[in-house]
Amino acid sequence: MPFPHPKLNEAAFFIELFAATQERGESLTRSADLITEASFLFSAIMNAFYSALDQWKAATKDQTAYKAFVAKYPEIYSHSHFGGWRSTTVHVQHMSISHSGYIPSKGGQVDLVFSHSPKLAVKVSNKGSVDLHFHPLYYVDYRGELKEVIAFSSEHLSELAKLLETFQ
């Protein structure tokens, strides 16, 4: 689904690349190992979010909605000296993924994720059957809790798209 802003489409592109890296269980390039490549892609997602919001602010000149959104998500949009992920990875140092592996759901729940596989993910054609694939997931430390990167990024992309659509 195309988004109303090119930078939102860019974020969706990097989220899909991130998902492909995670599902394949191997890096997409020869220049980085899997966990480093995942962190590079997470940085690209954060940059696309920041750029979309910044361009929207310049176009609409709506300081109130902009400030409210940034205040709601300081982990992404704050300056590096306040711990902002985007600013830290661009201006200070590369941000690594907080955790790689599997963190069980709370309360004995089982998380089954039904989504479209990224185009770069390895395709296996077994019509009429279900294959369960287990691979490490990547997490970031968000407000003292580890959040799965793809879920977190996809949710934020939706929130940002709603803001940009509301004030076009």
Side-chain angles (χ1 to χ4, degrees):
M1 167 180 109
F3 288 97
H5 191 284
K7 286 293 183 178
L8 295 181
N9 289 315
E10 182 179 320
F13 170 83
F14 286 122
I15 292 168
E16 184 169 339
L17 280 181
F18 192 103
T21 299
Q22 185 170 271
E23 282 191 29
R24 289 168 58 105
E26 63 183 39
S27 65
L28 300 173
T29 67
R30 290 182 181 87
S31 62
D33 61 36
L34 184 58
I35 192 78
T36 302
E37 199 168 84
S39 64
F40 289 164
L41 290 169
F42 183 66
S43 295
I45 294 164
M46 295 300 107
N47 277 318
F49 288 161
Y50 181 90
S51 294
L53 186 61
D54 193 54
Q55 289 176 16
W56 172 81
K57 178 184 86 168
T60 64
K61 303 192 182 351
D62 187 338
Q63 291 294 318
T64 304
Y66 170 80
K67 287 179 182 180
F69 194 80
V70 167
K72 187 176 178 182
Y73 299 103
E75 296 82 3
I76 298 172
Y77 301 106
S78 289
H79 292 289
S80 58
H81 54 276
F82 295 121
W85 296 339
R86 182 265 171 194
S87 184
T88 298
T89 196
V90 169
H91 301 294
V92 180
Q93 66 183 8
H94 179 70
M95 270 190 50
S96 297
I97 297 296
S98 300
H99 179 76
S100 172
Y102 175 70
I103 299 175
S105 300
K106 295 178 181 169
Q109 296 173 335
V110 175
D111 290 330
L112 296 175
V113 178
F114 296 98
S115 61
H116 296 285
S117 289
K119 199 170 183 179
L120 282 173
V122 178
K123 302 244 186 230
V124 178
S125 178
N126 288 333
K127 294 184 180 191
S129 67
V130 174
D131 291 327
L132 298 177
H133 298 276
F134 299 94
H135 47 78
L137 302 177
Y138 301 110
Y139 298 84
V140 290
D141 187 356
Y142 180 70
R143 301 180 182 176
E145 187 177 331
L146 290 176
K147 295 281 190 178
E148 197 272 317
V149 169
I150 295 171
F152 174 82
S153 299
S154 297
E155 288 169 17
H156 190 74
L157 177 61
S158 294
E159 288 292 313
L160 187 52
K162 283 181 202 171
L163 175 71
L164 272 59
E165 288 172 350
T166 304
F167 294 96
Q168 284 187 348

